[in-house]
């Protein structure tokens, strides 16, 4: 039963959803709080994270706010006219002008409380604007199509008004810095690069690849862990595109023979800034440039949202609360290690705890945590930062990555002298992490004494809830994959990806797959005598610790992901 304070906190759509039975009062209040904290519309949060039907939410909103629900399936998108409203406004407010009747412009929205969207459209179009409700998923699909079409404009036809909100800042937050070195003749290239950056951020890309070849040039985005070609500018623009990006990243535009690294800070709206980590590499036909998107505006996940099963979550939280020792997160680049660590830090971040982090670079800004950007050129290495931390009375230390023996030794000693140390390492699974530390030169007895928990992880794409379908496989195939006879006989159902207009190749979003290995006394004995990773893995199996494949099969059983996706991320 909800408490009186819970009832008082429910207003508007959240209250209607609870009243209509789509959510409990506690769930509605929790969703409202998280959406507000992330500065995300409640409707978008509910559809994208809770699995509530977008059409039902739209009907509830219609009843609550007295707005009509519009059927986009009956609307001919070919007749769409934006009536002078820029792509930037459409992208920012997720609202789309649909049609005009006299002096009235009707705009599709999924969140009826976003009055600023209607005001912006009214100001931009000069027409009286009225809202019509559209299910969030259908509106998102149409917005993606409209904005994708605008991406294909010739360079000299890109609308400057659509890029007004994009501001490049230097380290001292000097708006507009870095633009003066580009000739006026390159203004179309400036706008085109800005367009690509905004499009990548709006699509949730984690990386952008700019790749020159002999007869073509392509731009690819990595979305949900998969690279996809998104643009193919003329090959003759290769040097101009590279020069523009290098100016933004404050790199030497005259130097094309050696790799360079830099950063770009973009302010995409009043309350949101995105960092881009830039790496250039000379190739046969020009410089390949890769940008890693560090977007703090995506919101920080909680431990509940990472994808743990109950037993894994309990082990993770229990070891986080220990007063000293080391928790290591391992996996390849882009597997979500930093997000997992920060979800843990979020629980530890209390006024009575002193937390310091050393990262290269800081990807997520968290108030209450002392965060340090490693700068090797200036002499601020991970080891130097750790030495400084140990003189500043720390309780918790986070190390972005253990890369060398010096950093590893200081981290291990800190974990043995009353500090909780959280760190990442690049290995394939949890048992290999131990042998990696020993091979780096850390004495095995120190590794055994310091370690509390090792967690290997991968990110698997989630199956689209709309189009996924059951997959029938022969019994022998299921047994070979690792499923049990009893569950197969009981009617095991697994699903495969299909693909629809609401997802990408049958998938939408990602979820963590984890191997959570606590360090038992028997395992410490193996570590001390420098046992192989095969022996450690056998001991982990004996203790009932599921490996990454077994953890992935659990997600397949739950219908969250597909068997082929587990094969892809585990390489089995």
């Amino acid at each position: 039963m909800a408490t009186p304070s819970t009832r008082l906190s429910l207003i508007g759509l959240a209250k209607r959803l609870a009243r209509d039975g789509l959510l409990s009062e506690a769930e509605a209040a929790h969703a409202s709080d998280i959406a507000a904290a992330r500065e995300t519309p409640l409707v978008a949060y509910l559809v994208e994270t809770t699995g509530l039907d977008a059409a039902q939410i739209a009907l509830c909103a219609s009843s609550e706010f007295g707005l009509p629900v519009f059927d986009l399936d009956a609307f001919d998108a070919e007749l769409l006219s934006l009536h002078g409203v820029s792509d930037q406004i459409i992208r920012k407010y997720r609202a789309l002008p649909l049609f005009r009747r006299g002096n009235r412009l009707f705009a599709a929205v999924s969140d009826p409380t976003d009055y600023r969207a209607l005001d912006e459209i009214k100001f931009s179009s000069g027409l009286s604007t009225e809202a019509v409700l559209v299910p969030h998923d259908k509106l998102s699909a149409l917005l993606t199509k409209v904005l994708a079409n605008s991406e294909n404009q010739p360079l000299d036809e890109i609308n400057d008004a659509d890029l007004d909100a994009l501001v490049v800042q230097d380290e001292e937050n000097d708006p507009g810095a870095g633009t003066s070195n580009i000739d006026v003749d390159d203004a179309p290239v400036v706008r085109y690069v800005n367009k690509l950056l905004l499009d990548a951020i709006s699509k949730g890309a984690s990386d952008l690849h700019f790749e020159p070849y002999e007869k073509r040039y392509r731009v690819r985005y990595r979305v949900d862990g998969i690279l996809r070609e998104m643009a193919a500018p003329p090959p003759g623009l290769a040097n101009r595109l590279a020069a523009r990006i290098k100016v933004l990243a404050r790199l030497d535009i005259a130097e094309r023979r050696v790799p360079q690294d830099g950063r770009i800070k973009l302010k995409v709206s009043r309350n949101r800034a995105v960092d881009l980590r830039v790496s250039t590499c000379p190739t046969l036909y020009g410089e390949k440039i890769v940008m890693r998107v560090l977007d703090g505006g995506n919101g920080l996940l909680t431990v509940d949202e990472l994808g743990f099963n109950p037993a894994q979550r309990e082990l993770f939280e229990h070891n986080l609360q220990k007063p000293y020792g080391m928790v290591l997160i391992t996996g390849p680049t882009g597997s979500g290690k930093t997000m997992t660590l920060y979800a843990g830090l979020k629980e530890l971040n209390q006024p009575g705890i002193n937390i310091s982090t050393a990262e290269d670079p800081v990807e997520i800004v968290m108030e209450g945590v002392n965060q340090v950007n490693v700068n090797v050129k200036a002499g601020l290495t991970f080891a130097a930062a750790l030495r400084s931390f140990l003189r500043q009375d720390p309780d918790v230390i986070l190390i972005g990555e253990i890369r060398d023996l010096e950093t590893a030794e200081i981290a291990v000693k800190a974990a043995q002298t009353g500090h909780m140390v959280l760190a990442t390492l690049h290995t394939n699974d949890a048992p290999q992490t131990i042998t990696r530390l020993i091979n780096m030169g850390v004495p095995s007895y120190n590794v055994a004494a310091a370690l509390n928990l090792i967690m290997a992880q991968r990110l698997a794409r989630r199956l689209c809830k709309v189009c996924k379908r059951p997959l029938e496989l022969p019994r022998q195939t299921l047994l070979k994959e690792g499923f049990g006879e009893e569950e197969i006989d009981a009617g095991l159902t697994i699903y495969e990806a299909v693909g629809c207009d609401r997802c990408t190749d049958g998938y939408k979003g990602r979820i963590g797959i984890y191997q959570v290995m606590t360090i038992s006394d028997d395992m410490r004995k193996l570590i001390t005598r420098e046992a192989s990773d095969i022996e450690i893995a056998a001991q982990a199996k004996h203790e009932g610790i599921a490996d990454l494949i077994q953890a992935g099969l659990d997600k397949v059983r739950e219908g969250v992901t597909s068997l082929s996706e587990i094969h892809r991320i585990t390489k089995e």
Side-chain angles (χ1 to χ4, degrees), residues 230-387:
M230 304 303 296
L237 288 177
N239 290 337
R240 293 168 64 188
L241 289 170
R244 171 58 182 166
I245 295 170
K246 289 166 74 174
V247 166
L248 292 177
R250 281 153 189 82
L251 302 178
D252 184 354
I253 62 173
E255 180 57 79
R256 301 178 183 176
R257 300 167 297 175
V258 297
Q260 298 185 67
D261 295 299
R263 294 180 67 186
I264 301 172
K265 188 178 183 66
L266 297 180
K267 186 175 181 182
V268 295
S269 67
R270 181 178 300 176
N271 300 315
R272 183 182 179 192
V274 174
D275 284 322
L276 301 170
R277 190 166 58 192
V278 181
S279 171
T280 73
C281 182
T283 67
L284 282 176
Y285 302 105
E287 290 178 286
K288 174 178 178 177
I289 299 177
V290 177
M291 298 183 180
R292 165 60 61 88
V293 181
L294 309 176
D295 186 3
N298 276 338
L300 180 61
L301 296 178
T302 64
V303 172
D304 291 340
E305 298 170 301
L306 290 175
F308 290 125
N309 65 38
Q312 291 174 335
R313 176 188 168 184
E314 183 179 351
L315 285 174
F316 182 54
E317 292 186 325
H318 173 71
N319 282 277
L320 281 179
Q321 298 300 330
K322 289 184 176 180
Y324 57 85
M326 180 180 285
V327 173
L328 288 178
I329 313 292
T330 181
T333 301
S335 60
K337 300 185 297 294
T338 301
M339 186 63 75
T340 299
L341 284 179
Y342 267 88
L345 276 192
K346 189 174 183 180
E347 294 201 353
L348 294 174
N349 189 15
Q350 304 294 332
I353 298 179
N354 180 20
I355 304 175
S356 296
T357 78
E359 302 168 76
D360 182 22
V362 173
E363 297 186 25
I364 301 170
V365 177
M366 179 179 286
E367 186 176 350
V369 175
N370 307 293
Q371 299 173 281
V372 174
N373 260 326
V374 168
N375 187 341
V376 177
K377 291 181 181 178
L380 181 56
T381 62
F382 280 110
L386 286 178
R387 289 195 190 94

Side-chain angles (χ1 to χ4, degrees), residues 208-227:
L208 294 83
H209 292 238
F210 294 78
E211 301 170 317
Y213 298 98
E214 183 179 12
K215 296 181 179 180
R216 65 188 299 256
Y217 190 100
R218 70 178 179 182
V219 180
R220 294 191 290 173
Y221 298 168
R222 187 180 295 278
V223 181
D224 288 342
I226 304 295
L227 275 172

Side-chain angles (χ1 to χ4, degrees), residues 504-566:
T504 303
D505 299 332
Y507 298 94
K508 187 174 183 180
R510 291 192 288 178
I511 191 170
I513 307 293
Y514 302 94
Q515 177 188 25
V516 182
M517 188 175 84
T518 53
I519 308 301
S520 64
D521 290 339
D522 289 338
M523 206 168 287
R524 293 185 200 280
K525 293 176 184 177
L526 289 175
I527 297 171
T528 302
R529 66 176 180 83
E530 298 188 13
S532 69
D533 56 305
I534 296 175
E535 294 175 277
I536 295 171
Q539 178 63 29
K541 184 177 181 180
H542 176 72
E543 294 178 10
I545 297 170
D547 60 22
L548 283 167
I549 297 175
Q550 293 170 319
L553 291 181
D554 286 340
K555 300 300 181 187
V556 175
R557 291 183 181 96
E558 296 168 10
V560 174
T561 190
S562 67
L563 200 55
S564 61
E565 177 67 2
I566 297 302

